[in-house]
């Protein structure tokens, strides 16, 4: 009868060990008993970038990378994108269940109540250079929010945690819109709480004297994109939020760490990098030469590949569908043709097939954002607005997880052995 254990023999000592196998894993700490002598520290695992290490047990998001499956709290992303609102999905991620009508109405009202930011935040944002990258502004402003809400340090108080999560969900779009206005040299437009969450954000971003008359198709398209970005299990930025949050710092500071991680071109910054790449390619006739530089390793096909998805990212399929709906309203983004041809060629090329490289969520989203009127360096800010409920849900789950402690990995020391200090005159 098979047992849920792993039999390990340490050939250095001839000793054997039975390690329990649970949920497809062994506990790394069970390896520490494997020693060559009593004063041996015991075995560790070495797993740079955590390629094969589960850092937590989570009930929030399920991904099957081989089958291209993504579910938030069990609900398929396709159904949520088609039928839910962004605040409904935010509630689901944070609370674990879809809200009733009454719960959703209360949630919407709570968020609406907290959309304003302290006017000093506007002074803080005005201090940035005219050409400051909006992700740098968002990163700084969200971190600064912790100084306006010192009570956010009471992270073990459920009511306080709830208030801070509502504050961040409500204020991040306001700060994001202010960053957009700053980069345009336009006056800040404050929240208009007669509008819904997305409408309010769009108005704060695009209003020029009086309420912005939104295109409802574009507004819903933006909401779908935010839903598609809302969570994605233990990605780089979420791991940053969990790790920084494990020191028991306030949620604003923990989320600012997530914003910093998302900023990188290998992560959320990829949607910006895709447009820069398409600009660099310029025309379809240049695609074969570009693909060659990628295969030689001197370029990356931005918006392609994924640590988990080894098939089509299900979000990319949905984003592509939204793209056509948006372009019907805005006119075709001329770069779409290059993107489609780039995808076609890559999906037929052995280099990409062998490495299971497919379009990810960032490949087409930037084309949509550009068509909506957002500048390229602003795309990752939109990703951050979408990801905020996921970061908060994961932060709270980490805090409530009895298995979790302050995050502090070990290392393999490869530096110098002990040596004596050398006075400067003898160096
Ligand atoms: C996001 O983790 C998440 O869930 C992230 C995210 C989320 O919702 O939070 O899904 C959002 O960040 C999506 C990914 C956006 N980034 C990009 O589009 C940037 C381009 N993609 C890559 O740099 C890369 O694919 C990663 C970073 C996404 C994944 O990198 P891995 O898993 O570490 O893979 P790797 O770098 O080890 O690559 C494996 C091989 C290598 O070739 P060999 O050394 O084996 O010859 O595939 C190659 C890589 O060179 N490769 C690529 C490539 N991605 C991987 N080659 C060309 N173009 C690419 N895009």
């Amino acid at each position: 009868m098979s047992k849920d254990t792993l039999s390990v023999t340490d050939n250095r000592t001839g000793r054997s060990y039975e390690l329990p196998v649970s949920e497809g894993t062994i506990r790394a700490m069970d390896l520490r008993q494997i020693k060559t002598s009593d004063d041996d520290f015991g075995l560790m695992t070495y797993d740079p970038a955590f390629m094969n290490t589960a850092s937590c047990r989570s009930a929030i998001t399920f991904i099957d990378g081989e089958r291209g499956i993504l579910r938030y709290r069990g609900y398929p992303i396709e159904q949520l994108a088609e039928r839910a609102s962004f605040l409904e999905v935010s509630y689901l991620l944070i609370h674990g269940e879809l809200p009733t009508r009454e719960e959703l109405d209360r949630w919407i009202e709570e968020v609406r109540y907290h959309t304003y930011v302290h006017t000093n935040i506007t002074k803080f944002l005005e201090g940035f250079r005219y050409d400051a990258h909006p992700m740098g502004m968002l990163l700084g402003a969200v971190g600064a929010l912790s100084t306006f809400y010192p009570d956010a340090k009471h992270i073990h108080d459920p009511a306080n945690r709830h208030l801070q999560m509502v504050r961040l969900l409500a204020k991040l779009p306001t700060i994001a819109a202010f960053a957009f206005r700053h980069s345009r040299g336009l006056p800040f437009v404050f929240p208009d709480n007669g509008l819904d969450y997305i409408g309010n954000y769009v108005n704060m971003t695009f209003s020029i004297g009086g309420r912005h008359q939104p295109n409802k198709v574009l507004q819903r398209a933006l909401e779908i994109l935010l839903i598609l970005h809302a969570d994605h299990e233990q990605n780089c930025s979420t791991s940053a939020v969990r790790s920084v949050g494990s020191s028991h710092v306030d949620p604003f500071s923990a989320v600012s760490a997530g914003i910093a991680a998302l900023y990188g071109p290998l992560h959320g910054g990829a949607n910006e990098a895709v447009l820069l790449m398409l600009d660099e390619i310029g025309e379809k006739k240049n695609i074969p030469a570009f693909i060659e530089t990628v295969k030689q390793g001197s370029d990356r096909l931005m918006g392609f590949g994924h640590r988990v998805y080894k098939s089509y990212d299900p979000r990319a399929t949905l984003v592509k569908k939204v793209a056509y709906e948006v372009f019907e309203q805005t006119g075709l983004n001329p770069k779409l043709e290059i993107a489609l041809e780039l995808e076609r060629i890559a999906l037929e090329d052995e280099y990409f097939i062998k490495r299971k490289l497919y379009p990810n969520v960032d490949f087409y989203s930037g084309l949509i954002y550009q068509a909506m009127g957002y500048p390229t360096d602003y795309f990752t800010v939109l990703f951050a607005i979408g990801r905020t409920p996921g970061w908060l849900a994961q932060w709270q789950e980490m805090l409530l997880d009895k298995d979790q402690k302050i995050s502090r990995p070990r290392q393999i020391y490869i530096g110098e052995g002990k040596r004596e200090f050398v006075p400067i005159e003898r160096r």
Side-chain angles (χ1 to χ4, degrees):
M1 213 279 260
S2 69
K3 291 185 291 180
D4 288 338
T5 61
L6 192 69
S7 298
V8 176
T9 298
D10 182 349
N11 295 316
R12 300 172 298 175
T13 61
R15 269 187 238 135
S16 293
Y17 306 83
E18 287 277 298
L19 305 182
V21 173
S22 163
E23 298 167 304
T25 65
I26 59 167
R27 291 187 78 101
M29 285 302 288
D30 285 348
L31 295 171
R32 286 279 289 283
Q33 63 185 301
I34 301 175
K35 299 172 182 257
T36 55
S37 64
D38 289 346
D39 61 355
D40 180 354
F41 181 79
L43 281 190
M44 291 193 292
T45 58
Y46 173 52
D47 188 12
F50 311 115
M51 299 284 283
N52 191 42
T53 294
S55 62
C56 62
R57 300 170 70 246
S58 178
I60 298 171
T61 291
F62 172 76
I63 300 175
D64 180 325
E66 293 302 327
R67 296 183 182 81
I69 291 172
L70 170 58
R71 299 182 195 133
Y72 294 160
R73 298 286 188 178
Y75 294 96
I77 190 65
E78 294 78 6
Q79 294 180 25
L80 294 171
E82 190 180 332
R83 299 163 65 182
S85 70
F86 178 66
L87 281 185
E88 206 172 0
V89 169
S90 301
Y91 186 99
L92 170 68
L93 287 169
I94 291 172
H95 294 92
E97 297 296 337
L98 287 169
T100 62
R101 177 76 264 165
E102 186 198 352
E103 287 166 336
L104 181 58
D105 289 347
R106 191 163 58 246
W107 180 248
I108 289 168
E109 276 321 299
E110 278 192 282
V111 170
R112 193 195 305 268
Y113 183 79
H114 287 281
T115 49
Y116 266 74
V117 291
H118 191 293
T119 45
N120 285 9
I121 287 280
T122 60
K123 297 187 182 67
F124 180 83
L125 289 171
E126 279 157 5
F128 284 95
R129 270 174 55 107
Y130 71 93
D131 60 352
H133 195 292
M135 277 301 278
M137 295 177 71
L138 191 69
L139 167 57
V142 169
L145 279 181
S146 64
T147 66
F148 289 87
Y149 304 107
D151 59 326
K153 290 180 170 57
H154 305 307
I155 59 173
H156 300 297
D157 169 0
N160 190 290
R161 272 203 313 270
H162 175 83
L163 171 59
Q164 310 311 336
M165 289 194 282
V166 167
R167 276 175 169 158
L168 201 44
L169 270 179
K171 296 177 195 303
L172 198 118
T174 304
I175 295 171
F178 285 5
F180 179 89
R181 302 290 288 196
H182 176 79
S183 65
R184 285 285 196 278
L186 291 170
F188 297 140
V189 172
F190 280 79
D192 173 344
N193 289 339
L195 296 168
D196 66 19
Y197 188 82
I198 306 290
N200 189 23
Y201 167 67
V202 169
N203 187 58
M204 289 189 287
T205 307
F206 291 117
S207 161
I208 299 287
R211 259 192 191 178
H212 174 70
Q213 292 311 313
N215 175 316
K216 289 295 181 189
V217 173
L218 296 189
Q219 212 158 280
R220 178 57 190 163
L222 177 59
E223 182 162 39
I224 290 171
L225 287 170
L226 296 181
I227 290 169
L228 294 176
H229 286 82
D231 192 57
H232 213 238
E233 59 139 278
Q234 304 312 312
N235 58 83
C236 180
S237 56
T238 296
S239 302
V241 170
R242 278 178 169 260
S243 179
V244 169
S246 74
S247 73
H248 288 181
V249 76
D250 67 271
F252 300 110
S253 303
V255 167
S256 69
I259 294 170
L262 192 72
Y263 194 177
L266 293 185
H267 189 12
N271 53 22
E272 173 181 358
V274 167
L275 264 293
L276 300 176
M277 173 184 72
L278 295 175
D279 283 342
E280 180 197 328
I281 293 170
E283 302 174 59
K284 279 168 62 172
K285 68 180 175 52
N286 301 329
I287 291 175
F290 175 75
I291 291 278
E292 279 316 303
T293 64
V294 170
K295 289 158 69 171
Q296 284 152 21
S298 49
D299 265 318
R300 284 230 152 172
L301 182 45
M302 302 311 277
F304 256 67
H306 200 276
R307 175 64 55 77
V308 177
Y309 291 122
K310 298 310 172 190
S311 62
Y312 222 90
D313 181 335
R315 300 167 298 175
T317 307
L318 293 165
V319 169
K320 205 169 169 182
K321 188 164 160 273
V322 168
Y324 287 105
E325 290 160 13
V326 165
F327 297 148
E328 266 174 34
Q329 302 291 319
T330 63
L332 195 61
N333 186 326
K335 298 189 181 76
L336 177 67
E337 272 192 74
I338 301 177
L340 290 167
E341 180 65 2
L342 196 50
E343 177 189 0
R344 186 189 67 77
I345 294 176
L347 294 182
E348 291 172 354
D349 188 298
E350 189 48 32
Y351 175 94
F352 298 92
I353 295 168
K354 184 176 134 205
R355 292 167 177 80
K356 297 185 175 181
L357 301 177
Y358 293 87
N360 58 49
V361 69
D362 291 312
F363 190 65
Y364 286 104
S365 54
L367 290 170
I368 299 173
Y369 295 144
Q370 188 173 57
M372 288 177 171
Y374 297 104
T376 308
D377 66 0
Y378 193 79
F379 296 169
T380 311
V381 171
L382 295 165
F383 193 145
I385 296 173
R387 187 52 53 90
T388 295
W391 284 331
L392 291 171
Q394 299 271 353
W395 167 75
Q396 177 163 250
E397 186 180 64
M398 176 274 301
L399 280 181
L400 301 178
D401 181 347
K402 298 277 178 289
D403 267 2
Q404 295 298 331
K405 307 169 82 166
I406 185 166
S407 173
R408 200 261 183 242
R410 311 300 300 224
Q411 65 169 20
I412 298 171
Y413 179 68
I414 57 169
E416 297 284 348
K418 182 171 182 266
R419 51 184 174 163
E420 297 304 315
F421 182 79
V422 179
I424 192 159
E425 55 278 3
R426 287 180 19 220
R427 291 177 199 163

